[in-house]
Amino acid sequence: MTDRAVEDLLRALAPQVLGVLVRRHGQFYACEDAVQEALLAAATQWPGQGVPDHPRSWLVTVATRRLTDEWRSERARRDREVAVAVREPAYAAVAPPADEETPSGDDTLKLLFLCCHPALTASAQVALTLRAVGGLSTAEIARAYLVPEATMSQRIRRAKQRIEAAGARFAMPSAADRDTRLRAVLHVLYLVFNEGYTASSGAELHRAELTGEAIRLARELRRLLPDDGEVAGLLALMLLTDAHRAARTGPGGELVPLAEQDRTRWDRAEIAEGVALVTEALTWSAPGPYQVQAAIAAVHAEAATAADTDWRQIVALYRVLARLAPNPMVTLNQAAAVAMVDGPRAGLALLAPLDADERTANHHRLAAVRAHLLELAGDRDEARAAYLAAARATTSLPERHYLEVRAARLATDR
């Protein structure tokens, strides 16, 4: 089995193994550490020695031994040589114990709810979800978010401490809390995807490891909750958005805006799957914010050229979205769509109230959209100033370069 195949298998097994340990022993903090040790041992051994006949049971056994060692000794967790212990022949082909719990999708769902507990900040929810449910190592998560491993380790450790301090249980939330908690899970996956699709900082526009993991977890959530329209909507939105990825950058890694992208490079398989998902969900589910955003993405995806885009339909969908989930970013995107139907001045009028909203007043996207609409309106000097303001505000190097190029063109094309 290739290293990549082993990695994929371990990520799929990680929440199952953690679920077994937490149900048996409680103590999420200690169990999560033990599972990470077992995953590390497997990642080291399996590519060379082969995957055992019962990989899930192998991981459960190794993680349980790790817990036993922890409870028997005060030695440091991270310094233990687990890899040495698992070389014993007894670990090579562990058969499932007769009383071992059957793998349950509920375990993954319970873990998602636990990792997205309301006691945690959004950044802590994201980090803990990627580690406990996604099976990523602390080092992998730190690299994806461009922070030191020690910083990410501390964030995850504090998140687990907060969960224990809050008395959170490894169980499904009550019926009264389920919808609210599920929306938190969806939001966390949405945040992971967005950070991967347009990295908020650094030299790269994309972080494919994050978009890929968000889509994988969204697929798993869809498998577990096939009757939830918003789960289907989020997966559809991710697929329809990710379909543009290959066309979003030029040969030198520069950002290519939607209107200028080579649509022959779009991933038609992802588009077909995303369109089918959102179309089917909207036939039986009350529309929610993710479904409406997916519907907007589908309208863009189905246009053969930028000129063929049905902007009137997009404007109508943004009106629905603004009623379902009013927030300044929706208004920002709505203004850009309105400008394509009613002219740039109409779009600029929608942007005006956002200057007084602290969530967007200093955000580079507000300045960037305003610059674009001013350029369309023929206000070249104001547009150039807005492009430069947006460039100064963003921490993404590809976005900054794109905005500076747009400003420079306005200064020379006279």
Side-chain angles (χ1 to χ4, degrees):
M1 184 176 282
T2 65
D3 289 1
R4 178 57 186 270
V6 168
E7 180 182 334
D8 290 344
L9 175 62
L10 291 175
R11 287 188 179 178
L13 291 175
Q16 298 178 25
V17 175
L18 181 55
V20 169
L21 261 68
V22 175
R23 274 191 280 113
R24 286 181 179 178
H25 308 292
Q27 301 185 28
F28 173 78
Y29 193 127
C31 288
E32 202 279 327
D33 278 348
V35 169
Q36 283 292 320
E37 296 276 8
L39 292 173
L40 177 61
T44 301
Q45 291 191 24
W46 291 2
Q49 299 178 14
V51 177
D53 293 337
H54 306 286
R56 177 173 173 272
S57 295
W58 189 98
L59 290 167
V60 169
T61 301
V62 173
T64 301
R65 292 285 183 96
R66 177 66 182 82
L67 272 178
T68 301
D69 287 344
E70 173 66 20
W71 291 332
R72 288 176 177 172
S73 173
E74 293 299 324
R75 285 178 293 176
R77 292 184 180 91
R78 302 293 180 185
D79 294 337
R80 194 175 310 281
E81 296 293 337
V82 173
V84 174
V86 298
R87 291 197 190 103
E88 298 174 10
Y91 286 95
V94 184
D99 64 343
E100 183 175 305
E101 298 90 337
T102 301
S104 169
D106 284 347
D107 281 353
T108 300
L109 200 53
K110 288 173 187 174
L111 281 173
L112 279 167
F113 282 125
L114 191 63
C115 292
C116 299
H117 192 277
L120 302 180
T121 64
S123 61
Q125 290 173 338
V126 166
L128 196 55
T129 297
L130 288 174
R131 179 163 148 140
V133 186
L136 274 67
S137 69
T138 302
E140 288 173 319
I141 302 168
R143 282 197 301 271
Y145 281 89
L146 302 181
V147 299
E149 183 177 352
T151 300
M152 187 58 68
S153 178
Q154 185 179 53
R155 184 179 301 173
I156 292 170
R157 184 168 60 253
R158 287 177 176 173
K160 291 190 288 186
Q161 289 171 343
R162 281 179 178 270
I163 282 179
E164 292 200 347
R169 294 168 47 244
F170 182 68
M172 295 293 285
S174 66
D177 291 340
R178 182 185 178 281
D179 284 348
T180 300
R181 296 284 297 279
L182 178 58
R183 298 304 163 246
V185 170
L186 295 177
H187 182 62
V188 164
L189 298 185
Y190 183 67
L191 290 177
V192 173
F193 179 84
N194 280 346
E195 179 60 29
Y197 189 70
T198 304
S200 59
S201 61
E204 301 297 326
L205 184 64
H206 304 128
R207 292 177 191 158
E209 67 274 26
L210 289 180
T211 53
E213 187 59 23
I215 290 173
R216 188 185 75 82
L217 291 175
R219 286 191 187 281
E220 177 67 7
L221 194 58
R222 165 74 171 156
R223 185 183 68 80
L224 298 172
L225 298 173
D227 297 326
D228 192 291
E230 278 291 80
V231 172
L234 177 60
L235 177 56
L237 175 61
M238 289 180 179
L239 292 169
L240 289 163
T241 305
D242 189 61
H244 302 172
R245 178 158 43 95
R248 286 185 76 224
T249 52
E254 66 276 13
L255 187 153
V256 180
L258 180 65
E260 300 173 20
Q261 288 175 15
D262 177 359
R263 299 186 178 213
T264 64
R265 300 184 66 198
W266 287 3
D267 188 323
R268 291 295 158 185
E270 283 193 311
I271 289 173
E273 184 181 358
V275 169
L277 273 170
V278 68
T279 302
E280 192 263 343
L282 286 171
T283 62
W284 53 263
S285 172
Y290 292 115
Q291 292 169 76
V292 176
Q293 289 178 78
I296 293 169
V299 176
H300 282 295
E302 292 180 318
T305 67
D308 294 330
T309 304
D310 188 345
W311 286 106
R312 292 189 181 279
Q313 185 179 1
I314 289 175
V315 168
L317 287 167
Y318 269 120
R319 290 195 185 107
V320 174
L321 183 58
R323 289 197 299 270
L324 292 172
N327 70 70
M329 287 303 173
V330 171
T331 304
L332 198 64
N333 292 324
Q334 184 180 12
V338 165
M340 301 303 293
V341 175
D342 299 324
R345 295 295 176 191
L348 287 166
L350 280 177
L351 292 182
L354 300 184
D355 291 324
D357 191 318
E358 62 181 10
R359 292 170 294 180
T360 51
N362 298 312
H363 200 289
H364 76 277
R365 285 196 61 201
L366 175 57
V369 172
R370 175 171 282 128
H372 175 61
L373 298 189
L374 286 168
E375 183 179 1
L376 291 178
D379 294 340
R380 301 172 63 87
D381 290 339
E382 289 186 49
R384 180 173 180 273
Y387 277 129
L388 291 174
R392 288 192 296 270
T394 185
T395 53
S396 166
L397 296 183
E399 284 189 326
R400 181 182 301 164
H401 176 71
Y402 169 77
L403 294 164
E404 289 174 342
V405 167
R406 298 293 298 190
R409 285 179 183 171
L410 289 175
T412 57
D413 295 346
R414 292 187 180 272

